[in-house]
Amino acid sequence: MAASRPNHRRIRIHMVLESRMLAEAASVRLKSLLPGTSVVGWTRSWDVYQHRQQSVADVVILDNELTNGVPTPAKVAALVVETTGVVVLGSTTYGPAIQRLLDAGAHSYVLASDPSETLAAAVDSAFRSEPHRSAAVLQLLAGQEPPRVSELTRRELEVVGAYISGSGASVPETAARFGISVETVRTHISHARRKYSDGPTDPISKMELRRRMIRDGWIAG
């Protein structure tokens, strides 16, 4: 559990967002809405962030749709270990996927379509190690017990994600990209399909596998 921080707003923010335009716009608005706030860094890559030279920021705004093969919950968990406030910014509206991020330790999940005031409130709460749930997110999380989100290993996510993301790739192309055998690629795909199928007699297509992985927040749509 992160230690509580003083209740003031000299917040140092690092943004791990794929879009520079989004990062610049968010920076301007946050500095206006939270006087004293500074954006100490921006990267579009999780690997680059992990190897940064700067000290740990007070709050990290993390893009849920980063296309680098590391599940967002794993990134959140790593940030929590650093006692960093975590705000995840994304477009998924699927409750179980959002809940998985919160369970990993994110202080809040903010929809990309939310107003700047919502992001500012989430950042301020994360700085104080307090959760923040917007009305929109509460509505997405409300209702019956959410269905289980299928868990994929990092390697499955990397290989299967490359196979189905965007315009997709063939099995041989995916094998060549990762320097592994065609049979190994097929094994990873088979494991992912089995995790997402509704039973042994319900094989799912490549397009349906992609749809479900987007729904669960594993890959960007």
Side-chain angles (χ1 to χ4, degrees), residues 45-217:
S45 162
W46 176 247
D47 287 336
V48 170
Y49 173 79
Q50 287 187 302
H51 294 92
R52 71 198 181 283
Q53 297 301 314
Q54 307 106 306
S55 60
V56 176
D58 297 313
V59 176
V60 169
I61 300 176
L62 180 62
D63 191 340
N64 190 44
E65 277 82 44
L66 281 178
T67 55
N68 60 1
V70 180
T72 307
K75 299 171 189 170
V76 170
L79 292 169
V80 170
V81 169
E82 295 179 344
T83 67
T84 303
V86 185
V87 175
V88 179
L89 185 65
S91 59
T92 185
T93 56
Y94 184 54
I98 296 172
Q99 188 62 58
R100 190 172 82 245
L101 297 169
L102 300 176
D103 290 344
H107 292 92
S108 63
Y109 176 82
V110 177
L111 292 164
S113 57
D114 280 339
S116 300
E117 289 77 7
T118 300
L119 179 59
V123 167
D124 194 39
S125 293
F127 174 69
R128 291 181 279 108
S129 300
E130 297 174 358
H132 178 273
R133 308 285 183 267
S134 68
V137 168
L138 285 173
Q139 186 173 4
L140 294 171
L141 295 174
Q144 300 178 347
E145 185 71 19
R148 178 182 175 275
V149 173
S150 296
E151 292 295 334
L152 302 176
T153 67
R154 176 169 180 170
R155 193 56 169 168
E156 286 169 352
L157 181 61
E158 290 174 340
V159 174
V160 179
Y163 172 65
I164 65 177
S165 292
S167 58
S170 67
V171 170
E173 288 170 340
T174 304
R177 173 176 173 178
F178 290 98
I180 56 180
S181 70
V182 166
E183 189 57 38
T184 299
V185 173
R186 287 179 175 147
T187 297
H188 286 308
I189 294 169
S190 176
H191 287 170
R193 279 185 164 141
R194 185 166 64 249
K195 290 177 180 180
Y196 268 104
S197 69
D198 296 323
T201 60
D202 179 46
I204 60 175
S205 67
K206 180 177 182 179
M207 289 304 296
E208 179 61 14
L209 178 61
R210 181 175 187 273
R211 186 191 71 78
R212 297 188 189 188
M213 288 179 66
I214 291 172
R215 178 201 65 185
D216 285 357

Side-chain angles (χ1 to χ4, degrees), residues 20-59:
R20 176 184 287 274
M21 185 178 298
L22 177 60
E24 290 176 347
S27 175
V28 170
R29 291 297 291 148
L30 288 172
K31 289 176 182 178
S32 172
L33 293 165
L34 298 173
T37 291
S38 61
V39 176
V40 297
W42 166 75
T43 57
R44 61 161 42 98
S45 162
W46 176 247
D47 287 336
V48 170
Y49 173 79
Q50 287 187 302
H51 294 92
R52 71 198 181 283
Q53 297 301 314
Q54 307 106 306
S55 60
V56 176
D58 297 313
V59 176

